[in-house]
Amino acid sequence: MNNASHLSLILDLSPSQWHLSAAPSNTHPLPFKTFLSHVLTFLNSHIAQMHENSLAVFGALPGKSIMLYSSSDVSGGPEVPADSNAYRPFKLMNSIVARNIEAELELLETMGDEPPVALVGALTKALCYINRITHTTSGSSAEDSAVAADPRILILSVSPDLSSSYIPIMNSIFSAQKNKIIIDVCKVYGADTVFLQQAAHLTGGSYIDLERRDALLQYLVMSFLPPPTMRQFIAVPKQDKVDFRAACFCHKNIVDIGFVCSVCLSIFCSPVPVCSTCRTKFPMKTLQRLNASRPAVPSANGSANGTPRPPSKPATPMSASLR
Amino acid sequence: MDPGSDSDSLDEGVLTVRGRNKAARAKGVDPHNDKGKAKAKEQAYAWEANFTRSWDTVQEDEGGSLQGAVEELMARGRRRRLLAPAAAIRRTIIRHLILLLDLSSAMMDRDMRPTRFDLTLEYAREFITEWFDQNPLGQVGVVGMRGGIGERIGEMSGNPQDVLKSLSERHKLEPAGEPSLQNAIEMARSSMSHLPTHSSREILIVFGSLTTVDPGNIYDTLQSCIKEKIRISLVALAAEMKICRELCDKTGGQFGVAMNEGHFKDLIFELIPPPAQRAVARATGGGTTNPAADLMMMGFPTRLPDTAPPALCVCHAELRPAGFLCPRCGAKICDVPTDCDVCGLMIVSSPHLARSYHHLFPVKPYIPISSLDGAPKPTKHCHACSQPFRAQATASLADGMSSLGRYRCPDCSNDFCTDCDVFVHDVVHCCPGCEK
Ligand SMILES: [Zn+2]
Ligand SMILES: [Zn+2]
Ligand SMILES: [Zn+2]
Ligand SMILES: [Zn+2]
Ligand SMILES: [Zn+2]
Ligand SMILES: [Zn+2]
């Protein structure tokens, strides 16, 4: 390993989810304080790995997203009291991250209802930031270009999927894929999120659902600390089953056979005469044909039709996890 | 770091079809390659008149460096692209394209380096990759023109790997003999005749020869193409021919003569973004019924894990562990998107559909901010990448550029830097401020 790597970390800072996470009724309660200390240790080890490694930390807060820390803009940071027992760069970073989170959470307290966290904002900011550092290094001088090699994004998620952000999340995933940015996801609390599963799958990252949440640091160090170039030598856990089914636009139901507008590709669970997204009217003929073919679906499924069924058919239970 | 190659790479993700705007295209022209085609240069054709020499506009800065000038030129080129009207046009999302390559002996000409043939193959591969990226539900077939006949090189396929494979074996494509436009177009036409009406049918011809040997009247072929709504686009490597221009004009395609390597690439890459659907409302008497619009039944498969027990797939009849299950008949398929070989259901994964959504919901263009007088307290950093904005305005910039390098989203009123402005509109397709 001789290339420096860049890590953009996205912290999901939803106060209500963290409150639930800390509840003693969980098998392994994880309060935010413990979480933060694990994460900071992980970030320190990322920096300690190599002097050139760069780091950016983004926070997804309810209704807004901010950059908490970036190793390239560190000048002019706050005063940190000297401590003979701590390595100064670590201390500096830890205090900047902690201070910024604290300041943001304090701002939140005045708010009433908690809007969903701005994960999309944090994700797109991380992408723009990576674009900026890769762009400037390739422009200024060739020997600097190693600094931004191997960029990756790690999302520490506690919130559930937000179905309204489906399209922006997918757009972000595709741009990450296009720029060869790996998205790793660690689900620290809550049910699996289908969008982030797809993000990890499509960008070649790994998605990990914590079993022992009190061992967060170990998961982070073992799975997410090695840069992408090292991954081929290590067996980093990857999820196997990916739910590629879609949610219909009309009811957000999960469908395995849907009706799709050829103009805008909106998905509907039943044949509709007019597309609700682009207002296109569909020909009567098609509607009749589709309506006629619909009842045949279950019977076609039941009859053998002379086609041998692949033996692996019942391998995957149809779990409807997309909301 | 020449402006030509940069604008090529930025053609990815362009939302707006620029039509025949040659001036915008000329920015991508590579200066040092101009001499190669001097023989074809008489100011007779319109495309030559509009050819602006971008290197003449470059000025050195005080330090004698071209860096700033080049950057500014690039930014301007990008900016111009973004300024095109972002009207919500309907686009053909399900496309079918036949790539028709001239494999006649004229392709061995060395006026493009290393040869026209090698360059065409190279660009064709890049084209295919980028095309599938922007048209994930499309299908591409490859036909060659060689020895007076049309030759099927790659079957119509929705899998970029299949198409790339058909183009990978150079020795099988070795140019020979005369080309026949009619034979090749007829072959391409026949392989698209079964397609449903809601999908587009397109032919892209790369033509290096100045002659065509046809068995019959090529205008008959042209007529049937018009009738079947096949859009023919042609990139000529040698010179303009009347029949070539007519094929394109009559079918609504684009015609271009490549002046050099960079221009050649620009011409074919311009055909990548999904074309806007032609205004059909008029034809049907003003109603909103669009004959090209249809409701399609699609199946969303379940992906089997790599650790699943191996089973025979219906596409290759091989034992493999991973794959997708058709939701209607349960057949196991290796790759999506495809039509189920057993029940004929179109099978796509939801990311395939989602990949096209950005064409339908583009990010609004940002407004260039040139003075900070009105704002109470302007932000110091780009909202997306946190880069500090410059405090001093730079002088003399083209229209639509901000002298402060500041661009504001009309919806969330956040300010973004030049780089992020381009990146958000060309690549991410999602404003970091408004999250949509
Ligand atoms: Zn529905
Ligand atoms: Zn529609
Ligand atoms: Zn197969
Ligand atoms: Zn089937
Ligand atoms: Zn920026
Ligand atoms: Zn915005």
Side-chain angles (χ1 to χ4, degrees):
Chain A
M1 191 191 81
N2 38 25
N3 272 354
S5 72
H6 171 81
L7 172 71
S8 275
L9 179 74
I10 296 176
L11 298 175
D12 184 341
L13 300 175
S14 161
S16 59
Q17 291 294 321
W18 278 112
H19 182 73
L20 292 174
S21 163
S25 53
N26 291 317
T27 28
H28 301 287
L30 180 67
F32 184 71
K33 253 200 159 61
T34 324
F35 165 78
L36 193 62
S37 76
H38 283 207
V39 168
L40 290 176
T41 313
F42 167 69
L43 294 180
N44 288 346
S45 32
H46 170 74
I47 300 177
Q49 251 190 337
M50 198 169 189
H51 179 66
E52 288 85 6
N53 277 357
S54 56
L55 173 72
V57 184
F58 297 86
L61 292 139
K64 77 183 262 199
S65 58
I66 57 153
M67 177 185 261
L68 298 167
Y69 173 83
S70 99
S71 51
S72 60
D73 301 329
V74 79
S75 60
E79 292 282 305
V80 181
D83 181 349
S84 54
N85 291 321
Y87 180 50
R88 203 179 129 75
F90 291 172
K91 187 105 207 282
L92 187 67
M93 190 208 67
N94 293 358
S95 64
I96 293 178
V97 172
R99 188 174 309 190
N100 281 339
I101 292 179
E102 211 170 302
E104 289 299 329
L105 290 179
E106 247 161 54
L107 280 179
L108 283 178
E109 269 164 28
T110 53
M111 288 164 64
D113 271 354
E114 190 184 308
V117 291
L119 183 67
V120 175
L123 190 55
T124 44
K125 277 177 188 168
L127 289 168
C128 285
Y129 180 76
I130 290 176
N131 177 56
R132 170 187 147 197
I133 55 169
T134 41
H135 192 86
T136 46
T137 45
S138 66
S140 54
S141 59
E143 63 263 33
D144 278 1
S145 63
V147 175
D150 275 343
R152 66 188 198 272
I153 295 175
L154 170 61
I155 304 176
L156 301 180
S157 158
V158 291
S159 303
D161 273 330
L162 185 65
S163 54
S164 65
S165 67
Y166 176 61
I167 292 172
I169 287 219
M170 291 315 271
N171 282 340
S172 315
I173 295 174
F174 297 137
S175 46
Q177 200 181 21
K178 199 165 188 170
N179 292 320
K180 303 203 168 54
I181 298 167
I182 288 178
I183 300 183
D184 291 318
V185 180
C186 184
K187 190 72 195 165
V188 180
Y189 177 76
D192 278 342
T193 89
V194 173
F195 300 165
L196 294 183
Q197 262 184 355
Q198 295 192 1
H201 174 76
L202 292 170
T203 57
S206 44
Y207 177 96
I208 294 180
D209 189 14
L210 290 195
E211 249 169 73
R212 288 290 305 259
R213 304 192 311 126
D214 46 350
L216 173 68
L217 180 59
Q218 192 163 358
Y219 281 96
L220 291 177
V221 169
M222 301 307 283
S223 315
F224 299 118
L225 191 57
T229 41
M230 294 282 285
R231 301 263 174 104
Q232 47 184 314
F233 307 112
I234 319 171
V236 173
K238 294 196 172 194
Q239 88 274 22
D240 272 329
K241 206 189 78 206
V242 183
D243 205 331
F244 273 132
R245 289 174 302 151
C248 73
F249 282 30
C250 38
H251 312 93
K252 308 265 181 250
N253 286 340
I254 196 116
V255 288
D256 51 12
I257 295 181
F259 298 88
V260 178
C261 166
S262 74
V263 176
C264 67
L265 297 185
S266 302
I267 304 165
F268 305 99
C269 53
S270 59
V272 287
V274 180
C275 170
S276 58
T277 311
C278 67
R279 304 260 146 239
T280 301
K281 282 186 192 158
F282 301 119
M284 231 19 236
K285 268 209 324 261
T286 317
L287 290 179
Q288 284 162 355
R289 181 168 50 82
L290 290 179
N291 273 319
S293 72
R294 270 186 89 207
V297 172
S299 68
N301 217 4
S303 71
N305 283 349
T307 321
R309 180 78 51 89
S312 66
K313 168 79 170 103
T316 332
M318 300 281 184
S319 64
S321 45
L322 188 74
R323 302 178 320 131
Chain B
M1 173 92 194
D2 72 80
S5 64
D6 182 72
S7 57
D8 288 343
S9 63
L10 278 164
D11 276 341
E12 308 162 349
V14 181
L15 295 183
T16 41
V17 180
R18 185 76 3 80
R20 270 152 245 275
N21 187 354
K22 299 278 165 33
R25 181 185 303 158
K27 75 190 186 302
V29 169
D30 215 344
H32 50 267
N33 288 323
D34 184 48
K35 294 176 231 86
K37 300 282 280 188
K39 62 172 193 284
K41 275 210 171 283
E42 291 153 35
Q43 287 289 327
Y45 294 104
W47 46 267
E48 289 181 331
N50 284 333
F51 172 55
T52 50
R53 303 194 296 169
S54 55
W55 58 97
D56 280 354
T57 62
V58 174
Q59 299 286 319
E60 288 176 11
D61 61 18
E62 310 87 70
S65 156
L66 285 175
Q67 185 71 32
V70 169
E71 269 170 15
E72 213 49 74
L73 190 73
M74 276 159 44
R76 210 177 305 165
R78 298 158 166 180
R79 190 76 205 145
R80 197 180 307 143
R81 192 194 332 266
L82 297 179
L83 283 177
I89 338 165
R90 290 176 176 169
R91 294 180 178 278
T92 312
I93 283 170
I94 301 182
R95 298 174 73 184
H96 291 88
L97 175 82
I98 296 277
L99 185 60
L100 232 169
L101 298 178
D102 188 349
L103 298 178
S104 68
S105 48
M107 292 299 281
M108 292 312 282
D109 217 327
R110 290 179 181 279
D111 60 346
M112 291 191 179
R113 259 154 300 218
T115 60
R116 287 178 179 177
F117 170 63
D118 285 304
L119 193 71
T120 304
L121 277 190
E122 185 192 324
Y123 285 169
R125 289 182 202 126
E126 286 175 35
F127 174 81
I128 296 293
T129 314
E130 187 60 31
W131 195 89
F132 274 108
D133 195 58
Q134 294 202 30
N135 304 281
L137 293 178
Q139 298 196 10
V140 173
V142 186
V143 170
M145 292 183 264
R146 169 160 67 175
I149 54 168
E151 218 173 293
R152 187 159 281 140
I153 294 170
E155 292 288 339
M156 205 65 146
S157 162
N159 183 349
Q161 295 318 316
D162 289 352
V163 184
L164 288 176
K165 204 172 144 215
S166 67
L167 289 171
S168 64
E169 287 162 86
R170 186 184 179 280
H171 63 276
K172 283 195 185 160
L173 304 173
E174 205 61 51
E178 294 285 318
S180 168
L181 268 180
Q182 190 186 15
N183 277 336
I185 292 177
E186 284 293 345
M187 170 168 278
R189 194 171 68 88
S190 66
S191 53
M192 288 195 286
S193 55
H194 64 282
L195 295 177
T197 50
H198 54 71
S199 61
S200 81
R201 306 165 192 203
E202 296 162 62
I203 299 178
L204 168 59
I205 308 176
V206 177
F207 199 59
S209 173
L210 285 170
T211 53
T212 160
V213 283
D214 294 335
N217 185 354
I218 193 166
Y219 284 92
D220 296 341
T221 306
L222 174 57
Q223 281 310 321
S224 37
C225 285
I226 295 173
K227 212 171 82 215
E228 287 174 25
K229 297 202 179 66
I230 296 177
R231 184 199 302 243
I232 302 179
S233 297
L234 191 142
V235 176
L237 303 183
E240 178 167 337
M241 281 162 71
K242 180 160 182 296
I243 179 61
C244 295
R245 179 172 278 284
E246 216 156 300
L247 282 173
C248 302
D249 287 352
K250 293 247 167 86
T251 57
Q254 297 192 28
F255 174 81
V257 179
M259 290 181 288
N260 54 46
E261 288 88 339
H263 187 219
F264 178 25
K265 189 171 176 183
D266 279 1
L267 283 178
I268 59 171
F269 272 59
E270 239 172 53
L271 297 164
I272 290 178
Q277 271 187 7
R278 272 172 281 180
V280 276
R282 236 177 303 130
T284 52
T288 47
T289 311
N290 187 345
D294 211 341
L295 199 59
M296 299 169 294
M297 188 145 74
M298 288 188 185
F300 306 106
T302 314
R303 181 177 173 271
L304 290 179
D306 294 335
T307 47
L312 284 175
C313 70
V314 292
C315 36
H316 310 85
E318 277 174 32
L319 269 179
R320 294 181 184 185
F324 298 85
L325 291 183
C326 168
R328 186 154 73 178
C329 67
K332 194 184 147 202
I333 295 143
C334 286
D335 221 343
V336 290
T338 183
D339 290 345
C340 174
D341 282 328
V342 176
C343 67
L345 183 70
M346 184 171 184
I347 299 179
V348 296
S349 65
S350 46
H352 275 113
L353 294 183
R355 214 178 255 276
S356 304
Y357 288 148
H358 74 81
H359 290 298
L360 306 155
F361 312 109
V363 185
K364 282 189 191 161
Y366 292 166
I367 306 155
I369 303 296
S370 294
S371 97
L372 294 172
D373 297 340
K377 57 170 181 69
T379 49
K380 286 199 185 66
H381 302 274
C382 165
H383 184 70
C385 69
S386 304
Q387 182 149 33
F389 288 118
R390 58 172 175 258
Q392 292 300 309
T394 48
S396 75
L397 277 168
D399 271 359
M401 296 288 292
S402 158
S403 53
L404 294 162
R406 229 176 231 266
Y407 300 90
R408 187 166 294 166
C409 171
D411 285 345
C412 61
S413 308
N414 285 307
D415 288 0
F416 299 90
C417 66
T418 317
D419 283 341
C420 289
D421 173 28
V422 174
F423 186 66
V424 163
H425 285 91
D426 276 1
V427 183
V428 185
H429 304 297
C430 166
C431 172
C434 19
E435 306 204 358
K436 63 180 166 47

